[in-house]
Amino acid sequence: MPTDTSSGALPARAPLAPAPGEPVLDVVIPVYNEEKDLGPCVRRLHAHLTRTFPYPFRITIADNASTDRTPACAAELAAAVPGVRSVRLEEKGRGRALRTVWSHSEAPVLAYMDVDLSTDLNALLPLVAPLISGHSDLAIGTRLARSSRVVRGAKREFVSRAYNLLLRSSLAARFSDAQCGFKAIRREVAERLLPLVEDTGWFFDTEMLVLAERAGLRIHEVPVDWVDDPDSTVHIVRTATEDLKGVWRVGRALALGELPLDRLARPFGDDPRDRISLPGVPRGLARQLLGFCAVGVLSTLGYLALYSLFRLGAGPQAANAAALLASTVGNTAANRRLTFGVRGRDRALRHQAQGLVVFAIGLALTSGSLAALGAGTDDPAPGTELAVLVTANLAATVLRFLLFRAWVFPERRTTPVPVKDDHR
């Protein structure tokens, strides 16, 4: 898996300041053997941008090792139409073409669309506007929004929805349409994100979006009107197979913490006061509390389910100990990754051992509560037992968070890096 060689986190989002004479938007059209459609596509796109886009723009034709007259057509268009250029690649792959052009473009907003122009071009300005304003990091067109109007066959509709359902279930993706050939990204984000994206083909889009979302970058979605191209040359079965391999590879890398996604983090907001640590306010406390509470709710539900199951064949003390041990191992692992942002295997066993010490404290609190209940009544009702356990677990939860934050996952102190205030 490639690694990002840049250092430090991304700066806070800010509106773009166009440079005189430089394009604000670079729209890439990746093509392979498209001599018939390339000319009409580029001229139509150029006319639309000239009429509607308020900033300088450029259209880049990225030829993916075409074997027909596509390279000649691209060169003719670059010579005849202002603001159009062509780039020739000797290897196929849409992802390779986008990575190559985007990595060498000086435009602050980078976009791409398919040569068939299936997407209504009226969505282009709404796609890139949030990137220009500084609101979002990436933007995608979606054909699966309720307000989208789509004309395509049942087979492609099924494949698209099944694929996005797969992404939601396997990679916890929240964006709605990974495959729509209508996307944009801010250049400073692309500089950090693209070195982490390994795929060079059709899975490139999905991998880019999954990593961006996991890093906490903001993805803006624009409902689009879409008319499917009946002459599309995409091989569905082969593409689906490669996509499944990509899902497995990316899922494994994320699970093992192999990607330095912290280098894609954005500061909260664009107020200069948000970019420094305020005296007396621990960094990330609110986010950690929310994450800890979410994990705590799930682990508590799991604990109660396990306790009820174990109680069928064991006494209350044994059932409590077994359920608490199982839920604590899962709780420590989840808090390690989700609440405190610790990735990889480094010190994982130590963290689990420290978590077991915290488990022992929780066990003492809950076992003591059960013992007190048993001393007060000979045959407590199951509902009373659960109520006592919930109360004891709440007390143990507060102590667990404090111990996790101060002892198990203490914040690593680093020398603060001064941030230039661009809002003077």
Side-chain angles (χ1 to χ4, degrees), residues 216-249:
L217 298 178
R218 182 173 294 162
I219 301 175
H220 178 73
E221 297 198 12
V222 177
V224 297
D225 297 339
W226 176 280
V227 178
D228 202 14
D229 178 13
D231 299 324
S232 174
T233 58
V234 177
H235 193 289
I236 295 180
V237 176
R238 182 170 62 244
T239 302
T241 302
E242 294 300 319
D243 286 347
L244 290 175
K245 293 179 181 178
V247 169
W248 167 256
R249 173 177 52 79

Side-chain angles (χ1 to χ4, degrees), residues 72-218:
C73 294
E76 293 169 2
L77 288 166
V81 183
V84 175
R85 67 169 180 167
S86 65
V87 176
R88 166 75 175 181
L89 288 87
E90 299 302 329
E91 294 181 86
K92 291 178 62 176
R94 182 178 68 173
R96 179 179 287 108
L98 293 177
R99 185 203 310 278
T100 301
V101 176
W102 282 355
S103 297
H104 293 88
S105 179
E106 73 280 7
V109 176
L110 311 167
Y112 95 88
M113 62 179 59
D114 294 332
V115 70
D116 55 23
L117 293 187
S118 295
T119 305
D120 183 3
L121 291 179
N122 287 325
L124 183 54
L125 184 56
L127 182 81
V128 301
L131 308 187
I132 295 174
S133 70
H135 175 271
S136 300
D137 298 297
L138 299 92
I140 65 174
T142 175
R143 299 160 296 184
L144 303 182
R146 290 187 177 181
S147 56
S148 298
R149 294 183 297 178
V150 178
V151 178
R152 61 176 170 178
K155 180 180 179 181
R156 288 186 176 272
E157 180 75 11
F158 173 78
V159 170
S160 179
R161 291 188 178 274
Y163 181 65
N164 285 283
L165 179 61
L166 171 66
L167 295 180
R168 288 178 177 270
S169 60
S170 61
L171 297 178
R174 295 189 298 273
F175 49 85
S176 65
D177 192 352
Q179 295 175 311
C180 182
F182 195 67
K183 297 181 175 69
I185 185 172
R186 284 177 65 113
R187 186 184 65 195
E188 77 271 17
V189 176
E191 289 172 351
R192 301 289 184 90
L193 180 56
L194 294 186
L196 303 180
V197 180
E198 181 175 323
D199 191 79
T200 59
W202 292 96
F203 188 69
F204 175 89
D205 303 49
T206 301
E207 186 171 355
M208 179 180 68
L209 291 174
V210 168
L211 298 187
E213 189 174 73
R214 286 297 185 95
L217 298 178
R218 182 173 294 162

